[in-house]
Amino acid sequence: MKCPFCGYSESKVIDSRPAEEGTTIRRRRECLDCQRRFTTYEIVERMPLVVIKRDGSRQSFDKVKLINGMVRACEKRPVSLNQLEQIADGIEQDLQSGLEREISTVIIGEMVMSRLKDVDEVAYVRFASVYRSFKDINTFMEELAKLLSDK
């Protein structure tokens, strides 16, 4: 790490501590040449995730869109925004830790449904009805039957 004062490339770490809720490490350093102190921040480099939509188009993963879809499914249900943010964070973390950088909306939709099923069954059915594009009452009833048989 180059010293911002003299440009010397060697420094020693005096203090390290987590910052920004543990997503960053704050390091206090001292230049080995001029002995001046400076602060650096270390963050994890995340590779961008690309979502492949049903029509084959690609766009960047957007956690806000994911949350908005779940909010619509959970409208007038006892599910807090905090719960939905935790679900979205978990899905994003699972996707980031995977090896694939391009993820199908099918995979993301299944991940959302599996988590919503545990939180609120009505929200799960609402999300599934939009996600799976139920054509008629019979496909809707089949999904409800699956839900009931899992209990």
Side-chain angles (χ1 to χ4, degrees):
M1 180 66 56
K2 276 190 173 181
C3 173
F5 305 107
C6 71
Y8 192 69
S9 62
E10 299 291 325
S11 65
K12 68 179 177 181
V13 176
I14 296 170
D15 180 45
S16 290
R17 65 179 72 170
E20 298 179 25
E21 298 176 9
T23 60
T24 305
I25 302 289
R26 178 186 182 272
R27 299 199 192 279
R28 194 74 183 136
R29 296 177 177 270
E30 183 177 294
C31 176
L32 295 178
D33 189 37
C34 69
Q35 277 72 51
R36 294 188 66 185
R37 293 184 175 188
F38 58 98
T39 303
T40 60
Y41 292 91
E42 182 178 314
I43 60 168
V44 174
E45 182 180 25
R46 292 189 166 203
M47 297 298 292
L49 293 171
V50 175
V51 176
I52 304 170
K53 301 189 76 158
R54 289 182 191 210
D55 66 1
S57 65
R58 288 168 162 70
Q59 61 182 195
S60 296
F61 175 79
D62 186 356
K63 189 166 59 173
V64 174
K65 282 185 177 181
L66 187 64
I67 292 171
N68 287 339
M70 290 188 294
V71 164
R72 284 191 296 277
C74 294
E75 198 169 297
K76 297 183 182 177
R77 299 296 306 156
V79 181
S80 71
L81 186 57
N82 188 38
Q83 286 176 294
L84 299 180
E85 287 173 345
Q86 287 176 351
I87 290 171
D89 288 343
I91 289 171
E92 183 180 32
Q93 189 171 19
D94 289 350
L95 295 174
Q96 284 286 353
S97 64
L99 298 175
E100 296 296 320
R101 294 293 105 203
E102 292 189 346
I103 300 100
S104 166
T105 55
V106 173
I107 294 169
I108 296 170
E110 294 295 329
M111 292 172 87
V112 170
M113 286 191 299
S114 70
R115 286 167 169 86
L116 275 181
K117 186 187 281 189
D118 297 335
V119 173
D120 188 281
E121 291 175 345
V122 173
Y124 160 76
V125 171
R126 285 179 180 172
F127 189 88
S129 69
V130 172
Y131 172 72
R132 292 204 172 127
S133 305
F134 292 154
K135 304 286 186 244
D136 55 27
I137 192 72
N138 292 329
T139 54
F140 186 74
M141 292 306 290
E142 288 170 13
E143 191 64 35
L144 286 177
K146 282 187 216 171
L147 184 62
L148 291 172
S149 69
D150 287 345
K151 285 191 167 192

